[in-house]
Amino acid sequence: MPKSYSPEYIDAINKVEMYDNVGIALARACIKANVPLKLVAKVFGVSRMTVHTWFRGGPIRSGRLPLVNSFLSIIEQDTAKGVLPLADFQAAKKYITELLEKESA
């Protein structure tokens, strides 16, 4: 089972002062929603290290940016609706699986 976000990691993300960065916004939304980094990587078909880079403000390739923005919007909407945060990894895995099935349909 993947590790949850550590308090140190959360603190480091919250201290980053890049408020207009999509990767930082994605990190904050995923932490708030309790969506594990491993599943975020699965959604985008990238490595966990790539997601770590995004979460720290690193560049997101322009071809992926629309998908990242859409995912971020979904996470924010579901958090506002009360669907998120997720209780555990199994709930997160189910949520992501259903989300990917909807997108591919």
Side-chain angles (χ1 to χ4, degrees):
M1 181 168 146
K3 296 189 297 186
S4 60
Y5 300 104
S6 72
E8 296 82 13
Y9 189 78
I10 294 169
D11 189 46
I13 296 299
N14 287 330
K15 284 183 179 177
V16 175
E17 294 187 16
M18 296 167 59
Y19 295 102
D20 62 343
N21 183 283
V22 175
I24 299 296
L26 179 64
R28 290 180 177 143
C30 289
I31 289 168
K32 186 175 180 181
N34 199 27
V35 176
L37 189 135
K38 177 180 181 176
L39 295 178
V40 176
K42 180 179 178 180
V43 167
F44 299 112
V46 298
S47 70
R48 289 177 296 170
M49 194 57 174
T50 296
V51 177
H52 274 291
T53 300
W54 295 351
F55 279 16
R56 302 268 183 184
I60 299 172
R61 292 184 184 202
S62 60
R64 268 196 219 287
L65 205 50
L67 181 59
V68 172
N69 281 320
S70 294
F71 182 74
L72 177 57
S73 179
I74 291 167
I75 294 291
E76 289 172 342
Q77 289 171 13
D78 284 352
T79 300
K81 289 183 210 172
V83 174
L84 302 172
L86 298 161
D88 55 26
F89 181 74
Q90 291 305 325
K93 189 173 181 180
K94 181 179 179 197
Y95 174 82
I96 294 298
T97 300
E98 289 173 358
L99 185 63
L100 290 173
E101 287 172 355
K102 267 192 240 178
E103 294 300 314
S104 66

